[in-house]
């Protein structure tokens, strides 16, 4: 065997040995725990998401319901929440801007929708804030010949709101999982 092949074989053996040594260190985040402590799924199910605090039938109330529903599904799945141990307080602002303007009609052809959210996780036992953070989402959508197709434009705007709300919920769920898993 040549010297190059021998070196490759030694390197592969070294990599396999390191992989075997670290194989026992891996633990999936959402795995059931065997030490009797609650797992990540149970901790996330203890997060209470307060009801909507915006005016009924407003666009902001619809967005907050969309964020709340997406977050509840990501935290609880098909189950209902467990007795709450934490409360999540959520505040957000929305933005909308035109990205491209049709030079012939001076109407927007592409727009950008954004949500900026601030969240605060409160431990109910001590009533103290244990984690705060901010997240944002920006999504673009086409307005279909400016103002000429009003329904298509309204539907594209609503879909953009839903996509942004789902992204906000995903970002918050990831941060909560990180907090409950690592404690930071």
């Amino acid at each position: 065997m040549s010297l190059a092949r021998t070196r490759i074989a030694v390197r592969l053996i070294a990599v396999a040995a390191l992989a075997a040594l670290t194989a026992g260190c891996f633990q999936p985040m959402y795995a059931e725990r065997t030490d009797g402590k609650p797992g990540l799924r149970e901790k996330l199910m203890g997060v209470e998401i307060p009801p909507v605090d915006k005016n009924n039938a407003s666009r902001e109330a619809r967005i907050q319901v969309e964020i709340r529903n997406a977050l509840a599904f990501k935290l609880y799945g098909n189950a209902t929440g467990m007795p709450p141990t934490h409360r999540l307080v959520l505040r957000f602002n929305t933005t909308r801007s035109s990205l491209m303007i049709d030079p012939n009609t001076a109407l927007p052809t592409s727009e950008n929708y954004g949500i900026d959210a601030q969240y605060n996780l409160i431990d109910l036992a001590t009533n103290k804030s244990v984690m705060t953070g901010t997240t944002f989402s920006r999504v673009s959508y086409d307005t279909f010949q400016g103002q000429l197709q009003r329904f298509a434009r309204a539907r594209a705007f609503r879909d953009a709101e839903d996509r942004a709300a789902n992204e906000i919920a995903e970002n918050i769920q990831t941060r909560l999982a990180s907090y409950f898993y690592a404690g930071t």
Side-chain angles (χ1 to χ4, degrees):
M1 209 157 52
S2 72
L3 184 62
R5 287 187 182 182
T6 305
R7 286 184 182 169
I8 291 174
V10 169
R11 287 180 185 164
L12 287 176
I13 290 172
V15 168
L18 285 174
L21 289 174
T22 61
C25 299
F26 176 74
Q27 178 184 356
M29 277 180 66
Y30 289 95
E32 295 293 323
R33 298 197 50 137
T34 57
D35 59 2
K37 295 180 182 177
L40 180 58
R41 174 61 84 199
E42 288 81 22
K43 290 178 182 178
L44 289 175
M45 290 178 76
V47 175
E48 173 190 31
I49 307 170
V52 175
D53 62 352
K54 303 288 184 186
N55 294 332
N56 287 340
S58 69
R59 184 165 290 286
E60 283 141 357
R62 193 192 81 72
I63 295 166
Q64 188 171 5
V65 166
E66 190 68 32
I67 293 172
R68 185 179 189 279
N69 289 347
L71 193 55
F73 183 75
K74 290 175 187 319
L75 294 179
Y76 311 142
N78 291 345
T80 58
M82 296 176 72
T85 58
H86 295 80
R87 180 183 327 110
L88 183 69
V89 178
L90 177 69
R91 291 180 181 76
F92 67 91
N93 298 315
T94 62
T95 59
R96 186 176 174 185
S97 59
S98 297
L99 296 177
M100 295 173 45
I101 305 288
D102 184 353
N104 297 328
T105 63
L107 298 173
T109 58
S110 181
E111 292 185 333
N112 199 15
Y113 179 76
I115 299 176
D116 296 310
Q118 302 86 33
Y119 53 92
N120 186 10
L121 185 66
I122 299 170
D123 186 355
L124 293 178
T126 61
N127 205 26
K128 291 186 178 179
S129 174
V130 292
M131 181 189 72
T132 60
T134 60
T135 186
F136 68 94
S137 174
R138 301 288 183 267
V139 294
S140 62
Y141 62 98
D142 294 331
T143 57
F144 305 105
Q145 297 181 14
Q147 303 272 342
L148 301 178
Q149 295 184 10
R150 287 182 285 166
F151 178 76
R153 182 171 190 239
R155 187 66 230 183
F157 178 53
R158 184 172 178 154
D159 288 345
E161 288 176 328
D162 292 345
R163 286 185 290 135
N166 194 30
E167 190 173 326
I168 291 291
E170 180 73 30
N171 292 344
I172 293 173
Q173 185 267 341
T174 301
R175 182 63 181 105
L176 289 174
S178 173
Y179 170 76
F180 284 120
Y181 188 77
T184 59

